[in-house]
Amino acid sequence: ACTFGALVQQGQCGTFFETGGHNVGADGSPQVVTLNTIGSMFAENCAQYGVHLRSWTDNNAFPGVNRVSLNGDGAIGLQVGGASGTDNRGVYMNKFGILAVDTFGSMTDRIGVSMDRSKLTIIDAYYQSPPAEGGRLVATRDTTSYDIRYYDDRTGKMTHYVR
């Protein structure tokens, strides 16, 4: 239950912001990263993840403007849940106000938002420059529910991704 006004990173990084609880803590129950509020975030040149909500992360709020730029092949702006095994359990009810992902340049396979086995991820307004070659705006796998409103600057249209 921590509150951060703003998190800012300039320069290059692998992953800017990552959470991750544990399946079994000292008392035998899951140790969950929960009830945190991050007002806004800005990170540039993330080679792997801008934001990675890994395991046992729930009920966190990111109400302000959250912006990350990606500089690596296969980099992901927001990864909800892990990629495999126990790294993707217990991730639910995380809410973003505005999320912007910059994917400029010629690098390939970058993804704006990727969700694996997550529940109820909400993004009120999502902006992304056109995906890089081979990349995607939103990728999901075994995801129970999500609600993303994507705004396309080029067309002025809002696309609603929901499940």
Side-chain angles (χ1 to χ4, degrees), residues 76-80 99 101 111-115 121 123 126 128 136-140 148:
I76 298 172
L78 168 64
Q79 173 71 47
V80 181
L99 175 63
V101 179
I111 298 172
V113 175
S114 177
M115 290 178 279
T121 297
I123 302 173
Y126 171 49
Q128 181 178 335
R136 287 171 286 172
L137 293 170
V138 177
T140 63
I148 302 171

Side-chain angles (χ1 to χ4, degrees), residues 105-127:
S106 60
M107 288 167 277
T108 61
D109 297 325
R110 288 176 289 179
I111 298 172
V113 175
S114 177
M115 290 178 279
D116 294 325
R117 298 177 180 87
S118 62
K119 299 177 186 174
L120 200 52
T121 297
I122 299 169
I123 302 173
D124 289 334
Y126 171 49
Y127 301 83

Side-chain angles (χ1 to χ4, degrees), residues 33-153:
V33 179
T34 188
L35 297 175
N36 297 289
T37 301
I38 292 88
S40 61
M41 291 188 288
F42 174 79
E44 62 181 14
N45 295 325
C46 301
Q48 187 171 11
Y49 300 110
V51 177
H52 188 188
L53 306 179
R54 217 165 38 102
S55 58
W56 299 104
T57 299
D58 61 30
N59 291 301
N60 296 287
F62 305 81
V65 177
N66 305 281
R67 185 171 188 161
V68 297
S69 68
L70 306 177
N71 75 350
D73 289 338
I76 298 172
L78 168 64
Q79 173 71 47
V80 181
S84 63
T86 61
D87 203 32
N88 50 24
R89 293 187 291 174
V91 180
Y92 67 93
M93 195 49 213
N94 293 285
K95 183 173 181 181
F96 289 80
I98 296 172
L99 175 63
V101 179
D102 296 325
T103 56
F104 304 117
S106 60
M107 288 167 277
T108 61
D109 297 325
R110 288 176 289 179
I111 298 172
V113 175
S114 177
M115 290 178 279
D116 294 325
R117 298 177 180 87
S118 62
K119 299 177 186 174
L120 200 52
T121 297
I122 299 169
I123 302 173
D124 289 334
Y126 171 49
Y127 301 83
Q128 181 178 335
S129 59
E133 182 181 345
R136 287 171 286 172
L137 293 170
V138 177
T140 63
R141 184 180 66 150
D142 298 329
T143 301
T144 303
S145 57
Y146 52 87
D147 190 342
I148 302 171
R149 291 166 185 85
Y150 168 65
Y151 181 76
D152 189 335
D153 283 324

